[in-house]
Amino acid sequence: MLSHASFAPDFPMTQTSTPSTLNALQSAPAPSGEWVVAALYQFRAVPDAPALHAELKRLCTTLGLCGTLIVAPEGLNGTVAGSRDAITALHTQLLTLGFDRMEYKESRAPAQPFKRMKVRLKKEIVTLGVEVQPRELVGHYLDPEAWNDLLDDPDVVVIDTRNRYEHQAGTFEGALDPQTDSFREFPQWLDEHADQLKGKKVAMFCTGGIRCEKSTSLLLQRGYQDVFHLQGGILRYLEAMPVERSRWQGECFVFDERVTVGHGLQPGQAEMCWSCGWPLKAADRQHPHFERGVSCEHCYGDTTEAQKAAFRERQQWHDEQQGQGRRPEVTP
């Protein structure tokens, strides 16, 4: 049996922001304290993606946001941060533009989590590389409670659809790790492991839910029948599930300067290796090849001494900026 996503009907995008959204927030200043971080996506036909791209670029610049938004003919995806008023204004405008079935989550960051604002126009809002139908054909959505129940089913194969460096930070017990470096590699992994999944219930999860919209659609197109995914992803699970009943192990990698988050979406304890991007736990930072901002055990042998020297200079500059209380300037 298949379940279908509930999305708003397709209609042309308006290209003009509502005055009430923008008048109160012209050139909004950066937050002086805590930042609000909004992760969002919706698959929805966008008849004029370039026009929406231009509109959102202008809006995000006006609101003083940082982060990334991806616009494509199939919808919208991104994570952005700003003041409480700025994030509310963006959310309101997206609803006005017809994105009223968004998967939308908010969390907090103690400091600016992204260096600048990027609004990108692409072919896909999450790149799988093969054609699927995430608006018409998707697996069964499970809320966190139902997900916990499914994890106890012996006939279920649980798949972590994220990349291997994300899996490194944390995952659900017993989940398969496809060891991918890109979501584009997932279709090939599926082909190579078809025998392992044949006749099984398949449950998939990812950070915010968007990759599973496409991965479940892919499985259904290839003839799998009992396909499930965690609605809202790990972030929704960590937000809703009490620690004492949680089946999550570790922290969740996020694509900003917090590196990871834990239960309640509180900033985690991991640090990122700024040479290769791996999330490093406390034990990883004790490895002899770890040098903050320069290398870790995963990449030490991949860079030259000249590159390491340049990374040390970069880290020194970063430490000096932090010591002076400066943050990178947010630019469109």
Side-chain angles (χ1 to χ4, degrees):
M1 295 178 63
L2 309 181
S3 63
H4 296 268
S6 176
F7 293 102
D10 303 328
F11 49 85
M13 305 297 299
T14 175
Q15 298 183 29
T16 305
S17 298
T18 57
S20 60
T21 301
L22 299 181
N23 288 346
L25 284 166
Q26 293 297 325
S27 300
S32 57
E34 192 175 56
W35 290 66
V36 179
V37 183
L40 58 95
Y41 75 85
Q42 183 178 335
F43 286 97
R44 175 191 179 280
V46 178
D48 192 345
L52 177 62
H53 170 261
E55 166 71 1
L56 291 180
K57 185 174 182 178
R58 183 178 73 85
L59 177 62
C60 291
T61 300
T62 300
L63 297 177
L65 300 176
C66 60
T68 300
L69 284 178
I70 299 173
V71 179
E74 67 179 6
L76 178 69
N77 176 32
T79 305
V80 294
S83 68
R84 171 70 275 167
D85 287 346
I87 292 296
T88 298
L90 174 66
H91 191 192
T92 300
Q93 185 61 19
L94 291 176
L95 293 173
T96 300
L97 290 170
F99 290 95
D100 54 357
R101 296 292 187 274
M102 285 186 291
E103 182 64 47
Y104 181 90
K105 294 172 287 293
E106 290 187 358
S107 56
R108 302 292 187 272
Q112 181 174 329
F114 303 99
K115 289 182 172 61
R116 60 193 180 96
M117 186 69 222
K118 296 176 285 187
V119 183
R120 294 174 171 172
L121 182 62
K122 293 190 173 185
K123 294 181 179 180
E124 299 178 73
I125 58 174
V126 59
T127 305
L128 181 61
V130 299
E131 187 173 347
V132 292
Q133 304 175 64
R135 293 194 302 127
E136 292 82 22
L137 189 65
V138 293
H140 298 281
Y141 292 109
L142 298 179
D143 63 24
E145 293 286 353
W147 179 261
N148 274 2
D149 293 339
L150 190 68
L151 293 181
D152 292 326
D153 189 329
D155 291 326
V156 170
V157 175
V158 181
I159 303 174
D160 189 339
T161 65
R162 301 171 303 157
N163 298 328
R164 59 193 183 99
Y165 61 88
E166 299 170 79
H167 181 90
Q168 164 80 7
T171 191
F172 287 102
E173 181 179 2
L176 294 181
D177 176 15
Q179 290 284 312
T180 57
D181 292 311
S182 165
F183 192 41
R184 283 180 173 271
E185 299 173 15
F186 184 78
Q188 180 179 343
W189 180 90
L190 181 61
D191 289 339
E192 295 171 351
H193 293 80
D195 290 343
Q196 190 174 355
L197 306 181
K198 186 177 181 180
K200 296 284 189 178
K201 299 174 184 176
V202 180
M204 292 183 280
F205 65 92
C206 57
T207 305
I210 187 169
R211 274 176 275 196
C212 291
E213 303 278 4
K214 287 198 168 183
S215 61
T216 59
S217 187
L218 177 64
L219 262 71
L220 292 170
Q221 287 183 186
R222 294 191 176 180
Y224 295 87
Q225 295 186 356
D226 293 320
V227 181
F228 305 83
H229 56 132
L230 179 58
Q231 186 169 19
I234 303 161
L235 295 180
R236 181 73 72 195
Y237 184 91
L238 293 178
E239 180 182 44
M241 183 59 61
V243 176
E244 62 272 15
R245 292 194 287 116
S246 175
R247 308 294 290 276
W248 178 258
Q249 298 180 331
E251 297 176 341
C252 178
F253 183 91
V254 290
F255 296 87
D256 60 59
E257 293 193 7
R258 294 173 297 175
V259 185
T260 59
V261 296
H263 284 87
L265 302 184
Q266 294 299 310
Q269 301 300 311
E271 291 186 20
M272 181 182 289
C273 174
W274 295 109
S275 176
C276 67
W278 275 81
L280 304 175
K281 301 174 184 177
D284 300 321
R285 301 195 291 272
Q286 300 302 313
H287 194 278
H289 287 164
F290 171 71
E291 183 178 351
R292 182 165 284 105
V294 179
S295 65
C296 71
E297 62 178 302
H298 302 286
C299 65
Y300 181 83
D302 297 334
T303 55
T304 65
E305 287 303 317
Q307 289 173 315
K308 289 182 176 67
F311 294 160
R312 290 187 186 100
E313 290 185 10
R314 177 186 63 184
Q315 185 63 34
Q316 182 179 357
W317 178 88
H318 175 78
D319 291 342
E320 290 173 353
Q321 298 300 303
Q322 292 294 101
Q324 296 174 24
R326 295 178 181 173
R327 293 173 179 164
E329 181 179 348
V330 180
T331 57

